[in-house]
């Protein structure tokens, strides 16, 4: 198993570009197509903690049921927001990349360069 993991959506240009940058660095990551294989609650919590971001920072608004579910309302707790992401994985923003140097939501895709090990 690779020491680099990318939570990837092949339909997303930013995700494809981040994957390309990882491969150009000489690494072959473990690719998890998170829409087909969503993370479980523990994994999602761990990713958010490792990135050091708020749960809301991981929510994807565009092209998702964000508006229909009223997720901009501050009434939702972090656990409720995680519940929504588990029920609707498209709500998880991407790509999330994990390397030995850290975890990051790689938007823009070039952000991945900050956490790629130097060869």
């Amino acid at each position: 198993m690779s020491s680099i993991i990318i939570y990837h959506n092949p339909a997303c240009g930013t995700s494809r570009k981040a994957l390309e940058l990882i491969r150009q660095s000489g690494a072959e990551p473990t690719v998890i197509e998170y829409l087909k294989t969503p993370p479980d609650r523990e994994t999602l919590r761990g990713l958010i903690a490792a990135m050091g971001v708020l749960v809301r920072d991981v929510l994807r608004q565009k092209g998702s049921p964000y508006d229909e579910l009223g997720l901009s309302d501050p009434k939702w707790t972090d656990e409720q927001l995680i519940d929504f992401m588990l029920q609707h994985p498209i709500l998880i923003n991407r790509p999330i990349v994990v390397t030995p140097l850290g975890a990051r939501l790689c938007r823009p895709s070039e952000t991945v360069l900050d956490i790629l090990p130097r060869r």
Side-chain angles (χ1 to χ4, degrees):
M1 181 181 244
S2 174
S3 63
I4 298 174
I5 299 169
I6 181 170
Y7 289 85
H8 178 61
N9 179 349
C12 171
T14 302
S15 194
R16 288 192 311 269
K17 177 69 175 177
L19 179 57
E20 178 184 332
L21 289 169
I22 294 167
R23 287 179 170 154
Q24 285 175 359
S25 79
E28 183 56 39
T30 298
V31 178
I32 298 173
E33 290 189 31
Y34 72 95
L35 294 178
K36 293 180 182 177
T37 310
D40 60 20
R41 177 178 298 280
E42 182 179 331
T43 302
L44 186 54
R45 277 191 196 137
L47 289 168
I48 293 166
M51 291 186 290
V53 298
L54 301 173
V55 172
R56 285 193 176 277
D57 294 338
V58 181
L59 278 172
R60 178 168 174 76
Q61 296 176 28
K62 182 180 169 188
S64 76
Y66 181 89
D67 289 330
E68 294 85 4
L69 294 170
L71 298 182
S72 63
D73 192 322
K75 73 179 181 181
W76 302 114
T77 67
D78 286 352
E79 287 305 309
Q80 289 171 316
L81 294 173
I82 288 172
D83 286 339
F84 282 115
M85 286 188 267
L86 295 173
Q87 293 167 16
H88 308 277
I90 193 69
L91 286 167
I92 302 170
N93 214 340
R94 77 282 179 156
I96 296 173
V97 178
V98 181
T99 78
L101 300 178
R104 196 82 35 95
L105 174 60
C106 295
R107 299 190 74 78
S109 55
E110 291 78 15
T111 308
V112 75
L113 299 173
D114 297 336
I115 58 169
L116 288 179
R118 302 287 181 242
R119 295 226 175 227

